[in-house]
Amino acid sequence: MNAFAALADDTRREIVRLIAKNGELTSTEISQNFKISPPAISQHLKVLKESKVLHMKKVAQKRIYGLNDSGIHEMEHWLSDIKNLWNKRLDNLEKYLLKIKKERSSDRK
């Protein structure tokens, strides 16, 4: 599953927001912020880890989750590419509209 598909779920977006706000958290700390079962949260964490949105490290018996910079940068890069494509399209539209406006003003003279 890719990062965008993983983040299509409300609970997973809230998990990411929670970690972004608080820094690294254990799965228990994350679970305490939701009204769903810890096993359900574990499944969400698994999806986020597999999609490279989060990373997980084990410290003794604890699993600690944090944002995965590479996954976040990958999404950011994709969004930047889309934004640039739209900016180019809008620039072309502006040029075209200015051309039409200029042609209409010269026709009136």
Side-chain angles (χ1 to χ4, degrees):
M1 179 178 294
N2 71 38
F4 288 106
L7 292 172
D9 181 86
D10 293 340
T11 301
R12 290 193 283 265
R13 283 194 308 275
E14 281 302 314
I15 290 170
V16 170
R17 190 175 289 119
L18 182 68
I19 293 172
K21 180 180 177 186
N22 297 296
E24 292 184 334
L25 296 170
T26 65
S27 53
T28 303
E29 292 168 327
I30 293 166
S31 292
Q32 292 170 346
N33 288 276
F34 296 90
K35 293 181 181 179
I36 59 177
S37 69
I41 291 295
S42 290
Q43 287 292 26
H44 286 299
L45 291 169
K46 179 181 176 184
V47 169
L48 290 167
K49 183 177 158 252
E50 288 175 355
S51 63
K52 298 181 181 145
V53 174
L54 298 181
H55 65 82
M56 185 268 297
K57 63 183 176 185
K58 290 182 182 179
V59 177
Q61 298 298 317
K62 295 181 181 181
R63 294 172 192 260
I64 302 171
Y65 292 86
L67 292 179
N68 183 340
D69 289 342
S70 67
I72 300 298
H73 291 308
E74 184 179 332
M75 288 186 298
E76 189 175 49
H77 180 73
W78 185 87
L79 287 169
S80 178
D81 286 347
I82 295 300
K83 182 181 174 185
N84 289 336
L85 288 171
W86 271 100
N87 283 337
K88 287 177 186 176
R89 291 183 76 180
L90 291 172
D91 288 345
N92 288 338
L93 176 61
E94 182 180 29
K95 288 175 190 174
Y96 176 73
L97 293 173
L98 288 172
K99 178 184 171 190
I100 289 174
K101 185 178 179 181
K102 185 178 178 181
E103 288 171 359
R104 285 185 180 171
S105 68
S106 66
D107 286 345
R108 291 182 183 163
K109 292 180 180 181

